[in-house]
Amino acid sequence: MKNYRREGSILHIKSYAFAVRITKMFLHFTENDWKLTTIYKQVLRSGTSISANVHESEFAQSPSDFASKLHVALKEANETMNWLNLLHDTDILSEREFESMASDCNDLIALLISSIKTVKKNNN
């Protein structure tokens, strides 16, 4: 099967890889504990939405639309960080798991902030 992912953008690559990790984490959790499915679905939704919005930004209609889509991705990354903290603080994620996921999420937040700033600077 041919892979059609774009390889030129570090933001595309990292956001997609994070979505894959979040999905695998969700599948692992729901196999073991269905009682918290609502929370697991929230982190799945927000964590995969980052990549969806980054990819959607590629075909934005204008620079402001591009920045807006990246801003939505940033808000989703921030929400995901909240859910990761909750999962960690309730001992669902181990320290090691949390540190790994939080590091990736924080990297995405930094990339998104930098990208948004660059777009705004270049269009003023």
Side-chain angles (χ1 to χ4, degrees):
M1 182 171 166
K2 187 166 178 154
N3 185 337
Y4 289 99
R5 282 181 272 141
R6 298 204 177 19
E7 300 299 330
S9 164
I10 192 72
L11 189 53
H12 277 73
I13 294 165
K14 286 189 173 228
S15 64
Y16 184 80
F18 187 72
V20 169
R21 288 193 72 199
I22 286 286
T23 302
K24 288 180 179 182
M25 183 181 75
F26 171 79
L27 292 171
H28 171 72
F29 286 154
T30 54
E31 286 176 0
N32 298 320
D33 189 1
W34 55 269
K35 293 176 280 201
L36 296 172
T37 299
T38 301
I39 293 172
Y40 300 153
K41 284 181 180 180
Q42 288 292 104
V43 74
L44 176 68
R45 186 204 52 75
S46 65
T48 57
S49 181
I50 301 164
S51 176
N53 281 288
V54 166
H55 282 76
E56 190 176 335
S57 73
E58 185 175 349
F59 293 101
Q61 296 174 343
S62 66
S64 63
D65 185 36
F66 179 76
S68 176
K69 291 185 185 333
L70 291 184
H71 198 82
V72 171
L74 177 59
K75 289 166 59 173
E76 295 293 338
N78 188 53
E79 179 183 340
T80 301
M81 202 58 231
N82 175 69
W83 294 119
L84 292 173
N85 278 308
L86 179 66
L87 292 171
H88 175 255
D89 292 343
T90 56
D91 299 322
I92 295 166
L93 278 180
S94 70
E95 188 68 30
R96 189 176 131 276
E97 292 166 329
F98 171 74
E99 288 297 328
S100 179
M101 294 299 287
S103 176
D104 284 357
C105 193
N106 282 324
D107 286 349
L108 284 172
I109 289 170
L111 282 168
L112 287 161
I113 289 170
S114 177
S115 297
I116 292 165
K117 285 180 179 179
T118 299
V119 170
K120 288 181 177 182
K121 184 180 105 177
N122 289 342
N123 290 298
N124 284 333

